[in-house]
Amino acid sequence: MKTMRILGALAACLLSTMALGDNIYKYRAPDGTILFTDQASDRVSRHYTLLSVRKGWTYHARHLTEAQRDQFDRHTTQAATAYDVDPALIKAVIHAESMFDRYAVSRVGAQGLMQLMPETARQLDVSHPFNARENINGGTRFLAYLKGKFNSLDDILAAYNAGEGNVRRYGGIPPFAETRAYVKKVKQLRQRYASQFIAGLGDAQPVVAAR
């Protein structure tokens, strides 16, 4: 179907994050093989051609009030129900990506709460990336797509950060310091928010993050 083709193309892209950290370098080997690594060109054989450099993600903790953390919970819960994704996971990704700043823009152009690149936003039918509801729906839709592609939460988060292709290439979390730190931080944040949403669901079944 058209939707799945669009999402398939989207999964090959990298969803950039708000903060900057280790770079991810893309090289082409003499035989045409593509290599992704966090090693700069002076650490890689001169026979490899540098194709691109992607700025990485780091987490800079800062104080957030309860009001700041909870201001988008209604949109988060609605998206979780619509796409069958754990609301605590969605909130954790928002926290890690933008610190709940709906107007956040990274140096490479990622926008909004779930830090969608402009092309990614268009593919996800997000016309207004700084609109909280639209951005959360778009990011959650992508998480749901990745949930259908991978069985583990680690792989889902690694693909959100570094791309589906990298997760498949390395058979799991890529060996990038950024991605490993990202997965660890989002899982920690998800644990923090889990009880909040479980309490709010009452007798309803919690929405799971992975099969």
Side-chain angles (χ1 to χ4, degrees):
M1 296 190 303
K2 180 180 179 182
T3 299
M4 292 310 298
R5 286 198 298 270
I6 291 174
L7 287 174
L10 168 64
C13 300
L14 300 180
L15 284 179
S16 298
T17 50
M18 179 184 175
L20 301 176
D22 295 337
N23 293 335
I24 295 178
Y25 299 84
K26 180 180 180 181
Y27 297 93
R28 182 173 57 239
D31 64 359
T33 302
I34 300 300
L35 169 70
F36 289 88
T37 178
D38 57 0
Q39 300 298 307
S41 55
D42 61 345
R43 304 284 297 278
V44 176
S45 169
R46 61 184 177 83
H47 299 296
Y48 284 78
T49 302
L50 178 63
L51 300 178
S52 66
V53 182
R54 173 178 175 265
K55 293 294 185 181
W57 172 95
T58 54
Y59 183 77
H60 300 290
R62 64 180 175 84
H63 176 71
L64 293 167
T65 66
E66 184 175 344
Q68 288 175 314
R69 291 193 305 269
D70 297 347
Q71 61 184 313
F72 305 114
D73 282 0
R74 179 168 59 88
H75 299 316
T76 297
T77 302
Q78 289 172 347
T81 301
Y83 294 104
D84 191 26
V85 176
D86 177 8
L89 176 62
I90 301 169
K91 187 168 184 175
V93 170
I94 294 171
H95 187 151
E97 293 283 354
S98 66
M99 289 285 188
F100 302 98
D101 179 2
R102 62 188 290 184
Y103 299 109
V105 179
S106 76
R107 291 188 189 176
V108 294
Q111 300 173 327
L113 291 168
M114 298 188 77
Q115 287 291 277
L116 305 177
M117 293 295 287
E119 180 61 25
T120 299
R122 286 191 291 271
Q123 292 172 330
L124 289 167
D125 298 324
V126 177
S127 301
H128 304 93
F130 299 117
N131 177 282
R133 181 184 60 80
E134 282 195 43
N135 194 287
I136 291 172
N137 278 344
T140 302
R141 182 182 173 193
F142 187 58
L143 285 172
Y145 167 79
L146 294 174
K147 172 186 165 185
K149 294 293 183 179
F150 299 103
N151 291 323
S152 77
L153 180 58
D154 282 3
D155 288 351
I156 292 169
L157 293 175
Y160 193 96
N161 173 259
E164 179 183 353
N166 276 333
V167 175
R168 296 197 185 284
R169 182 174 293 108
Y170 290 100
I173 301 175
F176 308 146
E178 168 207 337
T179 302
R180 294 184 181 279
Y182 180 85
V183 171
K184 180 179 179 180
K185 174 52 64 176
V186 174
K187 289 172 67 176
Q188 290 174 343
L189 292 168
R190 181 196 179 206
Q191 284 294 107
R192 177 189 303 180
Y193 294 126
S195 60
Q196 170 188 350
F197 286 102
I198 290 174
L201 288 171
D203 295 330
Q205 291 294 320
V207 183
V208 297
R211 296 175 296 177

